[in-house]
Amino acid sequence: MDERVEWESALDALATGAALVDGDGTIRWVNRAGARLMRRSREELIGSVAPFRPENGAPQGTTASREAGERVCVWQAGTRAPRWLAYVRGADDRLGGEATLVSFRDVTEYQQQHRSAAALARTAASMASDSSLEAVLGAMAAEIQRTPGVAGTQIITFGPSGDRLQLMGSAGFEQVAPFFDLLMASRDRGADLITHRSMSERRQQVLPGRRAQMLADPAWEPLHAYVSQLDWEDFVGTPLLSRGKALGALNVYVATGYQATPALLDFITAMAEQAALAVDYATLIHQERVSARREERKRLARDLHDSVVQHVFSIGMQAKALGGIARRLDEPLAGRVEAVAREVTDLVDHVQRDLRGVVLALQPPVSAKLGLLPALNALAEAIERRYDVNVDLTVDALTEEDTGGADFSEDVYQIISEALHNAVKHAAPTVVHVDARLDRERRVMGIDVVDDGRGVPVNATAGGGYGLTSMRDRAGRWGGSVAVTTGEEGSGTRVRAELPFPYGRPEHRKEGMA
């Protein structure tokens, strides 16, 4: 056996890669382990340009460079995902004449772990800053998108107020704003939303070939142009979980040529946990602020009632006493004093009414104190007594899991209250039917208030009335709408409101459609 055959056999027996690199930088020979690491056959590699050059390397001194004297370079075989190779170049070796012997190993996982650890550290730093939740989640999305193999990233979650799902962070996409509307349009056409499935099932969803599936499905047509912005193939949806509740989802679009490896999935999961912590923290801060404002409103109401209202009441009593004195005086003084007393008494009455309204407005919402259904029952009974009209009430009970809190219930209550009062004031009905039902499949609270009266005047439904504006504002907070229809004289009026309610308990959602 000649000398060349001997050293080739010896190098082929190694578990690490070995290659002979000519002075012009091309590969003269590579062992079997090296060909496997570089994902090419020996025949393809011989004569190709070697990556083992300092100018081709990733930064030296990373966690991947575990051995003394090692450098790190990047190698890409065709359209496959690039690999990081740590290598050591020897001196000109007699075995190969003027060629240099290079030993190398695959350190891709080490490099990715280093990048992941750095990304997590930067994310933790951004969470500790005073930035808004949207800024923090945007920074997280950017960190994830910098990871090799990630073409694009989206973080979808509730804002701190918890009223609706929204796109709070995005990276990789040129267009951002239209995404959520296009997603909802696809959902309405029957598209299978993995984002919501991951939230519903509370586990990570990995879909190989998702891009091709979406582009072949007509239900996804609204999003075809959007998802075609990026060069990607696979999709990973990961829920943002906190205390057993899904707060949103992290969507990752895996670049063409890459796969959702265990290391990448672990990194995505870790970043989802960081995002969930950020959302949970922002929600707690928001709740504390809301609670503080509520307590301050209650204190102001109490102070107004105990101090200002009582002082105004005392002024009114003094004015009435002044009127009694005026009757014992001679003219013309008696007339002037009595006129002043009447003016002060009238002014006090107006101020007292205004103050009572302010105090009432500062109190907690009636639906929060009683619950939606008891509050509506009390409202219906009061209207029946005052206006001699029958109120037929059918209302689904709302839970916090359904709606996300008291604010939604209060807006439902106020819309129904305004519609009822408009009916009895303007239409003179004998019966008003109130029907408020949850459509969990569509995630909508539908409200119908229908009367048999003479019809609401045009100026009450034309859009300029304060009551209708208030109803529309309340519905608009949740992405909803209000419509009023009225027919000919005596044909009655219908108020129809739809309020999409936030994502709630997973068992209430139809899989893939929530």
Side-chain angles (χ1 to χ4, degrees):
M1 182 180 294
D2 61 26
E3 185 180 15
R4 173 171 179 149
V5 172
E6 287 181 0
W7 63 254
E8 284 187 358
S9 296
L11 294 177
D12 266 341
L14 295 177
T16 56
L20 286 176
V21 180
D22 281 329
D24 62 359
T26 60
I27 296 175
R28 178 184 295 187
W29 181 87
V30 63
N31 70 347
R32 282 195 292 264
R36 285 196 301 270
L37 291 176
M38 299 178 79
R39 300 183 176 186
R40 291 278 187 90
S41 67
R42 287 194 201 192
E43 292 74 16
E44 291 176 310
L45 289 170
I46 292 174
S48 65
V49 177
F52 312 115
R53 293 165 290 140
E55 64 270 19
N56 188 46
Q60 300 177 39
T62 67
T63 55
S65 302
R66 299 299 180 95
E67 304 296 335
E70 277 190 336
R71 297 178 181 271
V72 179
C73 66
V74 179
W75 168 256
Q76 185 162 9
T79 60
R80 293 184 177 182
R83 311 296 294 176
W84 280 266
L85 303 177
Y87 66 95
V88 177
R89 294 172 61 97
D92 288 351
D93 196 282
R94 68 180 184 279
L95 297 178
E98 296 180 357
T100 300
L101 178 63
V102 178
S103 65
F104 58 95
R105 61 195 179 94
D106 191 330
V107 292
T108 302
E109 294 298 322
Y110 290 122
Q111 193 75 7
Q112 288 179 343
Q113 289 172 9
H114 170 72
R115 288 174 176 266
S116 299
L120 285 168
R122 288 189 292 268
T123 296
S126 68
M127 288 175 60
S129 70
D130 294 329
S131 301
S132 67
L133 176 63
E134 191 167 2
V136 170
L137 295 182
M140 288 185 181
E143 288 291 350
I144 299 167
Q145 198 268 335
R146 293 190 189 102
T147 303
V150 175
T153 308
Q154 295 160 335
I155 301 178
I156 297 174
T157 183
F158 298 112
S161 59
D163 51 1
R164 329 177 45 193
L165 277 172
Q166 52 193 307
L167 183 63
M168 295 287 282
S170 180
F173 291 91
E174 294 181 4
Q175 297 175 316
V176 176
F179 170 75
F180 204 80
D181 290 338
L182 297 174
L183 182 68
M184 293 299 99
S186 298
R187 179 205 65 183
D188 294 341
R189 294 164 65 105
D192 178 23
L193 303 192
I194 304 305
T195 297
H196 287 150
R197 187 195 296 178
S198 70
M199 294 172 64
S200 175
E201 297 182 5
R202 303 183 190 181
R203 64 183 180 88
Q204 193 173 63
Q205 306 281 335
V206 181
L207 277 83
R210 180 62 168 171
R211 184 177 188 268
Q213 294 172 7
M214 291 177 67
L215 294 179
D217 187 349
W220 284 106
E221 192 276 332
L223 265 172
H224 282 177
Y226 193 94
V227 299
S228 296
Q229 295 179 59
L230 305 180
D231 186 14
W232 67 283
E233 293 297 335
D234 303 343
F235 179 86
V236 180
T238 306
L240 310 185
L241 300 176
S242 177
R243 292 173 291 193
K245 183 178 180 181
L247 304 179
L250 166 60
N251 295 338
V252 171
Y253 299 78
V254 181
T256 300
Y258 288 80
Q259 291 181 333
T261 63
L264 179 59
L265 294 179
D266 287 344
F267 170 63
I268 293 171
T269 299
M271 293 299 284
E273 290 171 353
Q274 293 289 311
L277 286 174
V279 175
D280 199 33
Y281 176 74
T283 301
L284 289 174
I285 294 297
H286 176 79
Q287 290 173 347
E288 287 180 3
R289 289 172 178 167
V290 169
S291 178
R293 287 197 297 267
R294 187 179 295 118
E295 291 302 316
E296 181 65 13
R297 288 164 64 94
K298 289 169 65 177
R299 186 190 66 78
L300 286 172
R302 185 171 57 251
D303 290 348
L304 282 172
H305 180 271
D306 295 343
S307 177
V308 179
V309 171
Q310 298 305 320
H311 287 317
V312 172
F313 178 76
S314 297
I315 293 172
M317 295 300 293
Q318 294 294 331
K320 290 180 180 178
L322 183 62
I325 293 172
R327 288 191 289 272
R328 296 196 294 270
L329 297 175
D330 296 330
E331 294 294 346
L333 184 59
R336 288 199 295 270
V337 171
E338 188 173 5
V340 170
R342 281 198 306 270
E343 185 176 347
V344 173
T345 300
D346 291 342
L347 183 60
V348 165
D349 288 341
H350 285 299
V351 171
Q352 283 182 321
R353 284 196 296 271
D354 290 344
L355 282 173
R356 290 192 190 101
V358 171
V359 170
L360 184 61
L362 289 171
Q363 294 293 338
V366 62
S367 64
K369 292 189 292 185
L370 301 178
L372 179 62
L373 201 51
L376 288 173
N377 282 327
L379 174 66
E381 291 173 5
I383 288 178
E384 286 178 336
R385 287 195 308 269
R386 190 177 309 158
Y387 295 99
D388 191 26
V389 60
N390 180 37
V391 178
D392 178 27
L393 198 62
T394 304
V395 178
D396 284 345
L398 292 177
T399 66
E400 185 171 348
E401 288 81 1
D402 282 323
T403 65
D407 289 345
F408 187 91
S409 297
E410 178 62 16
D411 282 337
V412 170
Y413 172 84
Q414 293 295 345
I415 288 172
I416 293 174
S417 174
E418 187 65 43
L420 275 171
H421 281 101
N422 276 349
V424 297
K425 287 179 182 178
H426 299 295
T430 58
V431 178
V432 182
H433 298 279
V434 178
D435 195 334
R437 297 182 184 275
L438 285 171
D439 184 340
R440 287 194 171 93
E441 184 171 331
R442 295 177 57 229
R443 301 183 307 120
V444 166
M445 181 72 170
I447 301 170
D448 282 293
V449 181
V450 182
D451 66 68
D452 65 348
R454 60 173 177 256
V456 175
V458 173
N459 60 0
T461 64
Y466 176 78
L468 183 58
T469 299
S470 174
M471 286 190 287
R472 285 177 170 158
D473 286 346
R474 290 183 180 276
R477 290 178 58 191
W478 311 94
S481 61
V482 176
V484 181
T485 55
T486 184
E488 300 296 330
E489 186 78 13
S491 63
T493 301
R494 181 191 185 197
V495 176
R496 171 67 181 176
E498 287 195 349
L499 282 71
F501 55 89
Y503 191 91
R505 297 173 63 180
E507 59 266 29
H508 289 168
R509 307 289 178 251
K510 182 178 179 181
E511 180 179 307
M513 288 295 294

